[in-house]
Amino acid sequence: MKLNIALLAGDGIGPEVIDQAVKVSDAIAKKFNHEINWKPALTGAAAIDAVGEPYPDETHDICMASDAVLFGAIGHPRFDNDPSAKVRPEQGLLKMRKKLGLFANVRPTFTFPSLLDKSPLKRERIEGTDLVFLRELTGGIYFGEKGRSDEGETAFDNCVYTRAEVQRLAKKGFELAMTRGKKLCCVDKANVLETSRLWRETVQAMEKEYPEVEVSYEFVDAVAMRLVQWPNSYDVLITENLFGDILTDEASVISGSMGLMPSASLGSDIGLFEPIHGSYPQATGLNIANPMATVLSAAMMFENFDLQKEGKAIRDAVNSALEQGIVTEDLSENGKSYGTSEVGDWLANEI
């Protein structure tokens, strides 16, 4: 297969972890006789510095002309610490999701047998955890009208959803549940929010189309609690943008490190694959960032092309590295650790 992949390294540790995913992907291409044409493009603070825009039109054109996007991370402290900044790296991320139509963020949370004791939760609580969040990504409070009134003393952010937006996300959730444990949880706050009531009634109306799927409805605060008590009780969870943003970060630490969890953002035409961690600016250039989440995001990318053996080969290599202690300092024991690039080299060689 010939693949054209847009490569958006972004900011902070983004370029370092992306480099390792490229090494691994190139090893997969060689092993399975594929051809990958990488198409680098600017985004985030790097793009602001270069052209004054966090998601330039040129970058969008490259993404639209590609089969998929492999993305690193965006963000820089100089913007975080300046509330008055008019242009921010994160604006590029929201713009990219909207323009590419990436409405479904797929975030798996699973455990690694060799790392069960690295989790902040007890082994017996997390063993066997294998859940997936589908977060709606282009609607809700992040995209609603926002502003100030009362001479700047009052601020507002409107949360708006249409039934069609809920239906297309829920459809992906039901379909995913049918391939897994046939359990779907709709996460909302229907006792308080009108948008959540729309979510709940829309999903309820879709249940009859998927009679094999067991559907539950839980308030977001209850899910936040249960994720640290019985995470292995969940299979597929669907939710709106803000709730999903918070809950998926909570779930990510179950595995023991945010540096291990991949994600995909899917639309009708193109998919974007990225680690769930941020740009981690403090580690930039130190060769200490964990590249495995980005590498596993590449595995999700191959699987999205229905290249299951290729995805499995990457996952097997990552599991082997974890079992043998070929890890960065966030996962090291007894002071023994490897650099970002060393882990990438090892994984590529293993493949």
Side-chain angles (χ1 to χ4, degrees):
M1 182 179 286
K2 184 174 183 179
L3 299 171
N4 293 309
I5 309 297
L7 198 63
L8 277 56
D11 308 320
I13 62 170
E16 297 172 61
V17 294
I18 280 287
D19 282 349
Q20 313 320 310
V22 168
K23 288 178 189 176
V24 170
S25 297
D26 285 343
I28 287 290
K30 183 176 180 180
K31 181 181 180 70
F32 291 92
N33 197 30
H34 301 304
E35 180 182 342
I36 301 178
N37 177 28
W38 299 105
K39 303 163 74 174
L42 291 171
T43 191
I48 294 173
D49 291 343
V51 299
E53 161 65 45
Y55 183 62
D57 289 341
E58 181 181 356
T59 296
H60 180 66
D61 292 342
I62 288 173
C63 291
M64 288 300 293
S66 301
D67 299 307
V69 180
L70 190 60
F71 176 59
I74 62 170
H76 195 283
R78 75 174 184 272
F79 297 96
D80 298 338
N81 298 328
D82 182 7
S84 65
K86 300 299 182 186
V87 181
R88 297 177 175 276
E90 292 76 13
Q91 292 170 342
L93 187 57
L94 296 179
K95 183 178 178 182
M96 177 168 59
R97 290 169 178 168
K98 198 73 171 179
K99 290 188 72 173
L100 293 177
L102 304 174
F103 65 86
N105 182 228
V106 184
R107 284 199 182 186
T109 294
F110 46 86
T111 54
F112 301 85
S114 59
L115 297 179
L116 286 173
D117 294 324
K118 285 285 186 180
S119 174
L121 302 181
K122 294 178 180 178
R123 170 187 284 261
E124 58 268 26
R125 291 198 180 274
I126 65 169
E127 203 159 14
T129 295
D130 181 10
L131 60 87
V132 181
F133 270 97
L134 266 72
R135 165 192 170 193
E136 200 290 322
L137 207 55
T138 57
I141 199 167
Y142 289 173
F143 290 92
E145 183 184 358
K146 52 183 66 25
R148 296 283 184 100
S149 61
D150 191 24
E151 298 182 343
E153 296 302 304
T154 301
F156 61 89
D157 297 275
N158 290 343
C159 183
V160 179
Y161 269 108
T162 66
R163 192 178 303 276
E165 287 176 317
V166 179
Q167 286 172 331
R168 68 182 182 179
L169 191 280
K171 183 175 185 291
K172 282 193 176 291
F174 276 110
E175 290 173 350
L176 181 60
M178 285 294 294
T179 69
R180 292 171 48 90
K182 297 185 179 180
K183 291 169 59 180
L184 181 74
C185 178
C186 177
V187 183
D188 60 34
K189 192 64 177 169
N191 58 336
V192 177
L193 301 177
E194 192 62 33
T195 48
S196 282
R197 287 189 273 273
L198 175 67
W199 270 78
R200 187 169 289 212
E201 69 182 47
T202 301
V203 176
Q204 287 174 335
M206 297 175 69
E207 284 188 39
K208 61 182 180 295
E209 301 172 37
Y210 304 91
E212 294 180 55
V213 178
E214 177 189 340
V215 185
S216 62
Y217 300 85
E218 294 187 34
F219 297 145
V220 60
D221 41 349
V223 174
M225 176 182 67
R226 286 188 59 192
L227 276 176
V228 296
Q229 291 181 309
W230 307 290
N232 54 15
S233 66
Y234 290 115
D235 181 24
V236 177
L237 304 94
I238 58 173
T239 192
E240 59 100 64
N241 208 339
L242 175 61
F243 297 162
D245 192 1
I246 296 168
L247 290 175
T248 53
D249 275 5
E250 180 192 7
S252 71
V253 300
I254 291 172
S255 67
S257 172
M258 284 187 71
L260 290 171
M261 291 293 107
S263 77
S265 297
L266 306 177
S268 55
D269 299 318
I270 193 170
L272 179 146
F273 303 85
E274 62 176 310
I276 71 163
H277 59 67
S279 60
Y280 192 14
Q282 304 92 329
T284 303
L286 300 181
N287 197 36
I288 61 172
N290 188 343
M292 289 185 177
T294 315
V295 169
L296 289 169
S297 297
M300 290 184 74
M301 179 183 72
F302 282 110
E303 289 162 351
N304 194 58
F305 291 124
D306 201 27
L307 300 175
Q308 304 300 327
K309 290 181 180 178
E310 288 82 342
K312 184 178 185 301
I314 294 176
R315 296 179 188 280
D316 288 347
V318 167
N319 278 317
S320 182
L322 292 173
E323 289 167 0
Q324 297 182 49
I326 314 299
V327 295
T328 45
E329 64 175 29
D330 58 311
L331 295 175
S332 67
E333 294 182 354
N334 304 319
K336 176 66 172 176
S337 65
Y338 294 78
T340 306
S341 58
E342 291 176 288
V343 172
D345 290 340
W346 192 95
L347 292 170
N349 290 333
E350 178 76 358
I351 289 167

